[in-house]
């Protein structure tokens, strides 16, 4: 990249065009090191996006622990020691002492998160998990990946992974409603209208749990309207006379996640073992993933259409071929005399067909006889 080649771009220009976010650009720089310079290749950009998405998902899990468990938890420093965390601390210290080797430090963080993702969470204490989350947060803060946050900040996670506060009451209500519907539809053999009415009645019309305050500002209006839309669609299902509504309910659950929430920039991440869905903003990586999935689905559908067209073409050709009688197939200007079966014995100049060619013509005649008789049988016409 150079001015003489007219492919020079300043950081300010890259950020101004929206090609990069400040965090994304810093991640690429950290992955590339500082001594030899950085060539921003497609592979490096992909690596940076993957690293950011991995940390995003990790911090989302940490936020869920903080929200649901840590508020009533008494920290015990003796329970916070975890071998992979201790190893990561040593690895990053060594990397930064090695001429500020940030690529190695970034890999050490990625390996720690991989260890956490693959660990049996039932065997980890809350203190071990929170200690891991806080330490990773301190490192990304030190690297300038979390805006103005400092290394001494006691919070867990970085900016951009949480939804707006004013949207939370509505999104929580929608998520809880969807989780309940999904669980009921999957576990119940026949989910009836009365049960759906009970579920719909359990959600406050304004959103939020009993006694919680909601934001009635203009910014919160889209989320309020969405909750109303979901309740309306659920009410419509209760009017369905069909005795079992399981499939309709599951389709509604998919529509809530993949259409209604997605369209306003919110993604619900389903989790196993009955855990509540994670509510998260739609990121660039999620949009790319969904676009790729959509492209793959479109490619599959297009391939099916092509295969169907080819089958129909082959069936039509087979139909047309079957219509031709073996007795008439050689009745063309190419021949001037035929035997009793219609197999040529003389060409158009009156020259007798050679023995070898006669055998080939007889084989063609036999194949066409079988095709034609099969066609007649299929059309209820009997043997010719």
């Amino acid at each position: 990249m150079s001015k003489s080649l007219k492919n020079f771009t300043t950081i300010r220009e890259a950020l101004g065009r929206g090609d990069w976010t400040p965090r994304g650009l810093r991640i690429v720089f950290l992955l590339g090191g500082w001594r030899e310079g950085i060539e921003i290749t497609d592979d490096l950009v992909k690596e940076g996006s993957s690293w950011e998405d991995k940390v995003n998902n990790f911090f989302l899990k940490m936020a869920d622990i903080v929200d649901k468990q840590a508020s009533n938890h008494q920290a015990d420093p003796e329970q916070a020691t975890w071998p992979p965390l201790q190893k990561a601390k040593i690895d990053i210290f060594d990397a930064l002492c090695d001429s500020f080797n940030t690529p190695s430090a970034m890999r050490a963080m990625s390996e720690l998160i991989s260890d956490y993702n693959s660990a049996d969470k039932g065997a980890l204490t809350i203190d071990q998990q929170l200690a891991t989350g806080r330490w990773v947060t301190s490192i990304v803060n030190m690297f300038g990946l979390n805006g103005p946050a400092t290394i001494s900040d006691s919070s867990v996670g970085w900016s951009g992974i949480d939804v707006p506060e004013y949207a939370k009451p509505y999104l929580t209500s929608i998520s809880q409603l969807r989780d309940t519907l999904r669980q009921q539809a999957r576990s119940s053999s026949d989910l009836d209208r009365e049960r759906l009415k009970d579920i719909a009645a359990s959600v406050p019309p304004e959103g939020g749990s009993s006694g919680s305050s909601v934001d009635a500002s203009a910014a919160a209006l889209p989320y309020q309207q969405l909750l109303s839309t979901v309740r309306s669609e659920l009410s419509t299902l209760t009017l369905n006379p069909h005795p079992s509504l399981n499939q309709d309910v599951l389709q509604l659950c998919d529509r809530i996640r993949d259409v209604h929430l997605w369209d306003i920039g919110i993604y619900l991440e389903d989790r196993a073992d009955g855990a509540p869905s994670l509510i998260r903003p739609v990121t660039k990586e999620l949009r790319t993933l969904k676009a790729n999935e959509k492209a793959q689905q479109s490619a599959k559908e297009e391939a099916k259409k092509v295969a169907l067209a080819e089958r129909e073409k082959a069936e039509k050709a087979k139909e047309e071929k079957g219509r031709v009688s073996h007795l008439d197939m050689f009745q063309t200007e190419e021949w001037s005399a035929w035997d009793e079966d219609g197999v040529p014995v003389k060409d158009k100049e009156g020259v007798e067909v050679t023995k070898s060619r006669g055998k080939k013509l007889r084989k063609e005649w036999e194949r066409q006889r079988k095709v034609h008789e099969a066609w007649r049988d299929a059309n209820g016409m009997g043997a010719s």
Side-chain angles (χ1 to χ4, degrees):
M1 181 177 289
S2 67
K3 289 185 177 181
S4 62
L5 295 176
K6 297 183 180 181
N7 65 351
F8 180 83
T9 302
T10 66
I11 291 176
R12 191 180 301 277
E13 288 171 343
L15 295 176
R17 288 201 304 260
D19 299 339
W20 297 87
T21 63
R23 178 183 293 158
L25 199 54
R26 286 190 177 102
I27 288 172
V28 167
F29 290 158
L30 289 164
L31 288 170
W34 65 271
R35 285 189 297 185
E36 290 81 19
I38 304 170
E39 182 180 358
I40 301 181
T41 63
D42 290 341
D43 287 342
L44 185 58
V45 171
K46 191 177 297 183
E47 183 183 359
S49 295
S50 178
W51 193 94
E52 184 175 2
D53 197 41
K54 187 175 186 177
V55 178
N56 268 334
N57 289 326
F58 171 74
F59 281 147
L60 280 166
K61 295 171 185 175
M62 288 295 111
D64 190 51
I65 293 172
V66 171
D67 289 342
K68 294 183 170 58
Q69 300 181 51
S71 57
N72 299 319
H73 176 71
Q74 296 296 322
D76 183 355
E78 294 184 1
Q79 296 294 321
T81 303
W82 186 43
L85 175 57
Q86 301 309 115
K87 179 180 181 299
K89 288 181 178 181
I90 295 171
D91 289 346
I92 289 186
F93 179 83
D94 291 343
L96 297 182
C97 288
D98 179 23
S99 191
F100 208 64
N101 188 344
T102 56
S104 292
M106 298 287 275
R107 283 194 296 272
M109 262 197 293
S110 179
E111 289 169 5
L112 173 61
I113 293 173
S114 294
D115 288 338
Y116 175 81
N117 291 339
S118 61
D120 177 6
K121 303 305 182 290
L124 291 178
T125 67
I126 297 298
D127 293 293
Q128 287 174 322
Q129 297 185 62
L130 290 178
T132 303
R134 290 194 178 99
W135 185 78
V136 172
T137 301
S138 70
I139 299 301
V140 299
N141 288 352
M142 180 181 70
F143 283 161
L145 301 177
N146 192 20
T150 65
I151 192 172
S152 60
D153 195 316
S154 61
S155 62
V156 177
W158 59 16
S159 60
I161 64 168
D162 204 1
V163 297
E165 285 297 325
Y166 55 77
K168 285 185 177 180
Y170 306 104
L171 294 176
T172 299
S173 292
I174 293 171
S175 179
Q176 290 175 347
L177 174 61
R178 180 180 174 275
D179 285 342
T180 301
L181 289 171
R182 190 163 172 263
Q183 183 179 7
Q184 289 288 322
R186 286 180 147 195
S187 60
S188 175
S189 56
D190 290 310
L191 185 58
D192 58 26
R193 290 184 292 171
E194 294 306 315
R195 179 61 184 135
L196 283 185
K197 289 179 182 178
D198 291 340
I199 294 173
S202 68
V203 182
E206 71 281 359
S209 57
S210 178
S212 65
S213 61
V214 295
D215 191 331
S217 65
L221 187 59
Y223 305 95
Q224 185 181 17
Q225 291 174 336
L226 179 54
L227 176 59
S228 178
T229 297
V230 170
R231 288 172 58 86
S232 176
E233 292 192 17
L234 180 57
S235 296
T236 301
L237 281 186
T238 64
L239 302 177
N240 192 326
H242 196 277
S244 178
L245 301 172
N246 298 59
Q247 191 60 38
D248 292 334
V249 168
L250 288 175
Q251 289 176 356
L252 172 60
C253 290
D254 287 344
R255 192 160 60 251
I256 291 171
R257 181 194 61 195
D258 299 334
V259 179
H260 295 325
L261 287 170
W262 184 271
D263 287 348
I264 60 172
I266 302 296
Y267 180 66
L268 285 186
E269 183 176 325
D270 294 326
R271 295 190 291 176
D273 303 325
S277 299
L278 279 177
I279 304 172
R280 57 183 297 185
V282 173
T283 62
K284 179 181 178 181
E285 289 73 22
L286 282 173
R287 292 189 187 280
T288 300
L289 180 62
K290 186 167 184 177
N292 290 340
E293 290 175 350
K294 188 175 181 180
Q296 290 175 0
Q297 184 62 31
S298 297
K300 287 182 181 179
E301 292 175 358
E302 184 62 27
K304 287 181 180 179
K305 289 181 181 179
V306 171
L308 177 61
E310 289 178 350
R311 285 197 300 271
E312 290 177 345
K313 183 178 179 180
E315 288 295 327
K316 185 177 181 180
K318 183 179 179 181
E319 170 78 10
E320 293 301 320
K321 184 176 177 63
R323 288 177 180 273
V324 178
S325 171
H326 51 292
L327 300 175
D328 300 328
M329 63 181 295
F330 292 121
Q331 299 298 318
T332 65
E333 294 179 355
E334 187 178 356
W335 315 103
S336 60
W338 302 263
D339 64 14
E340 65 275 11
D341 292 327
V343 178
V345 293
K346 290 183 180 180
D347 63 17
K348 63 182 178 180
E349 279 82 23
V351 179
E352 289 190 4
V353 173
T354 63
K355 189 175 182 181
S356 61
R357 191 173 188 191
K359 287 182 178 181
K360 291 180 180 179
L361 294 172
R362 173 60 68 174
K363 286 182 179 180
E364 288 182 36
W365 183 90
E366 285 291 346
R367 285 195 296 269
Q368 185 60 29
R369 180 181 64 81
K370 292 178 181 179
V371 170
H372 181 63
E373 290 180 353
W375 176 82
R376 290 182 65 88
D377 289 341
N379 288 274
M381 301 172 67
S384 59

